[in-house]
Amino acid sequence: MRRATILVGAPVALLLAACAPGDSGDASAARLHGPRLGALTRPDTTGRGTQFSFGKDDVVETHASAGDRFLLHFTRSGPNAVPATDADQSGVPDFIEQAAGTYEEVATAYDGLGFLTPRGDDGLPDNGGDGRFDVYFVDFAGQGDGHYSDDHCGPAKLDQCAGHMVQENDFKGYGYPSTTVANRILASHEYFHAVQSAYDSQQGAILAEGTAVWATEAFDASLGDFEGLIAGYLENPNRPLDQPQPGAADVFSYGTAIYWQFLEERYQKPLVRTIWESVVDGAGGQASPAWWGVIDPVLQKEAGATFGEAFVDFATWNLFTGKRADPTRSYANGKGYSALPYEPAKLPYAGESLRVFYASSQYFQALPEGRGALTAAIVLPPDGDSGPAEPHGLTLLMVPDSGGKYGEVKRFADPTAGTETVDTTGVEDVVVFVVNGRMDGASRRPTLCIGTVDEVAACRATYGGAGAGGAGGAGGSSAGGAGA
């Protein structure tokens, strides 16, 4: 089972272990391609234990949700017992009734957004098999709090799968403010993985986890889960957008939820849904399209912008977070988002041999220290390609900061010239940022010059060159360097 276990930041501190589409409860639960059905492995499967499962002596009961779309499996005693309170004396623990209602609410919300309903498990043997979506409540013992697993894929489109959900039974010792909040976060996140599997289960962690976090925000923006997780991206904007973070704690993939939120807010179109529709096997005449390959044509068709154009806007919107939030220029709820990290740039600044990966950005903060105007320039190494920077993906921008409020963001028409200026009279600091809007290719290795026109001219003379080359690709091990 592929798992990402991460510590979610404030305001919700908890351990989240989520299995993306395509994951299975254990190695023996093979994906079934074609019409033949086989035995499932689920938490109550006798003799075929999964990592999180009921005990052999547990008496497992079931409760159907009011809309009859979900079947919840639980026990009342032992380590897997759910909270016993039954205030309405219905005979069903309030915890289970509340969870059942939440799953129905989540499903209705995603239906309303136009997403596919997860495939049913009709006809599958052993556990399940009645078409309702199964949710199992077992003790995760602090090792996580829930995961979705595929059971059966195909036969028509092999990456479209049906599955089930397992989640923490009582949340004791977790950092959720209440079991109600916990159930709402778990249901909205993990059920969206089931929605994803109705389209394609093989799209990887960035799209799977990023849009699942986005979906929780779309379902209930008051939960705080989105705000706690997007720091995983905002603290690593120099990492290529399509590259998961290596290691056990892939906070970056979860954090890319902010990119999907940007697309929805910036263009006011259901772009997340459109992208999922575009990766279904056979869509656009492709046997098995990948999200990184369809996102540019989707943006051009639906939003009238290329990926590169949208990515520069994204990098700019990310300035307006935390105390510098401005809903008229960026995210509606940006005040609750983490602030970007800036690298200090002492003027005159000459940042040698930056490594700017594709689909990434880097931010530098400088104090004018009496300078009435500043400029900046990208100096490209002389031994690279001879073309100008812009066709190679590099965009240079600068914004003055006065009293914690950003002024007009200036985009340099020629990022290599060092002649356009920004008035810094009475300005506390300026932020200069470099954006690489390409979707592939080698990382760029420019020198960044910041200062007055004369200071930047001297910097350009020292490091001058017209090339746009750069050693090292942006994928694989190189992407790991981007996050460092």
Side-chain angles (χ1 to χ4, degrees):
M1 178 174 64
R2 181 160 40 94
R3 169 174 296 140
T5 304
I6 64 178
L7 182 63
V8 180
V12 180
L14 58 129
L15 286 174
L16 175 63
C19 291
D23 294 333
S24 211
D26 68 7
S28 65
R31 287 178 51 188
L32 306 175
H33 287 172
R36 189 176 73 80
L37 302 180
L40 304 181
T41 298
R42 291 192 174 182
D44 56 354
T45 301
T46 303
R48 301 180 69 204
T50 60
Q51 183 174 5
F52 304 108
S53 60
F54 291 110
K56 62 183 180 62
D57 297 324
D58 284 346
V59 178
V60 180
E61 302 178 43
T62 60
H63 173 70
S65 62
D68 207 34
R69 290 190 284 186
F70 297 88
L71 190 64
L72 284 63
H73 305 249
F74 67 97
T75 187
R76 299 174 188 260
S77 62
N80 294 308
V82 300
T85 302
D86 182 15
D88 61 359
Q89 298 184 351
S90 65
V92 177
D94 296 341
F95 178 87
I96 290 296
E97 290 182 320
Q98 191 277 326
T102 297
Y103 274 97
E104 285 284 352
E105 186 182 350
V106 166
T108 299
Y110 295 159
D111 288 347
L113 293 173
F115 286 100
L116 290 177
T117 299
R119 290 185 58 191
D121 60 2
D122 309 60
L124 296 185
D126 275 6
N127 309 292
D130 62 4
R132 290 178 290 191
F133 187 86
D134 294 286
V135 185
Y136 299 85
F137 293 82
V138 300
D139 183 21
F140 276 70
Q143 298 181 52
D145 53 11
H147 69 81
Y148 165 79
S149 294
D150 287 326
D151 292 321
H152 172 77
C153 305
K157 297 183 184 299
L158 299 185
D159 290 335
Q160 292 178 331
C161 307
H164 67 277
M165 162 73 181
V166 185
Q167 78 164 68
E168 166 64 21
N169 64 311
D170 58 15
F171 298 104
K172 290 180 180 178
Y174 288 74
Y176 290 106
S178 68
T179 56
T180 297
V181 168
N183 276 328
R184 292 178 74 80
I185 290 174
L186 262 293
S188 56
H189 184 104
E190 299 300 337
Y191 184 71
F192 197 72
H193 282 322
V195 171
Q196 294 167 355
S197 279
Y199 293 95
D200 190 281
S201 65
Q202 301 297 307
Q203 289 300 314
I206 297 289
L207 186 64
E209 298 301 349
T211 61
V213 175
W214 167 85
T216 291
E217 181 76 353
F219 166 65
D220 184 349
S222 73
L223 293 172
D225 189 61
F226 177 88
E227 289 78 4
L229 289 167
I230 58 174
Y233 179 86
L234 290 174
E235 293 175 0
N236 299 281
N238 59 338
R239 183 174 190 80
L241 179 65
D242 71 325
Q243 295 291 325
Q245 199 167 28
D250 179 17
V251 297
F252 185 80
S253 291
Y254 290 82
T256 60
I258 193 171
Y259 178 72
W260 309 111
Q261 183 68 21
F262 160 77
L263 292 183
E264 295 274 324
E265 285 197 49
R266 170 67 176 83
Y267 298 108
Q268 295 295 300
K269 294 190 177 226
L271 292 176
V272 172
R273 190 188 77 204
T274 303
I275 290 165
W276 275 107
E277 291 169 347
S278 301
V279 298
V280 174
D281 289 354
Q286 300 182 59
S288 185
W291 76 271
W292 194 240
V294 306
I295 192 167
D296 184 62
V298 165
L299 286 172
Q300 291 192 49
K301 179 180 178 181
E302 301 295 331
T306 65
F307 172 85
E309 292 166 343
F311 194 79
V312 172
D313 281 353
F314 173 56
T316 303
W317 273 44
N318 290 340
L319 289 167
F320 299 94
T321 54
K323 66 181 182 180
R324 291 181 174 86
D326 184 348
T328 67
R329 305 169 72 181
S330 181
Y331 305 102
N333 297 320
K335 187 175 182 180
Y337 297 178
S338 301
L340 282 167
Y342 303 127
E343 181 176 326
K346 175 68 177 175
L347 299 183
Y349 179 76
E352 299 181 54
S353 300
L354 304 181
R355 192 174 191 186
V356 188
F357 291 89
Y358 69 82
S360 73
S361 53
Q362 295 185 33
Y363 300 81
F364 302 84
Q365 186 176 43
L367 304 180
E369 297 180 324
R371 295 169 175 82
L374 292 178
T375 188
I378 292 170
V379 183
L380 300 160
D383 58 346
D385 299 332
S386 59
E390 191 75 19
H392 291 269
L394 295 181
T395 302
L396 180 63
L397 305 99
M398 178 185 286
V399 59
D401 179 15
S402 301
K405 185 175 182 180
Y406 286 131
E408 180 181 356
V409 177
K410 181 178 183 62
R411 176 172 176 167
F412 291 92
D414 181 356
T416 66
T419 55
E420 301 176 70
T421 62
V422 170
D423 184 1
T424 54
T425 304
V427 168
E428 294 178 6
D429 60 82
V430 296
V431 174
V432 179
F433 55 114
V434 182
V435 184
N436 187 341
R438 293 191 65 172
M439 299 188 72
D440 56 19
S443 58
R444 303 297 155 193
R445 300 268 192 148
T447 295
L448 175 63
C449 302
I450 309 173
T452 64
V453 169
D454 289 342
E455 288 170 336
V456 169
C459 177
R460 292 177 72 246
T462 301
Y463 300 99
S477 61
S478 296

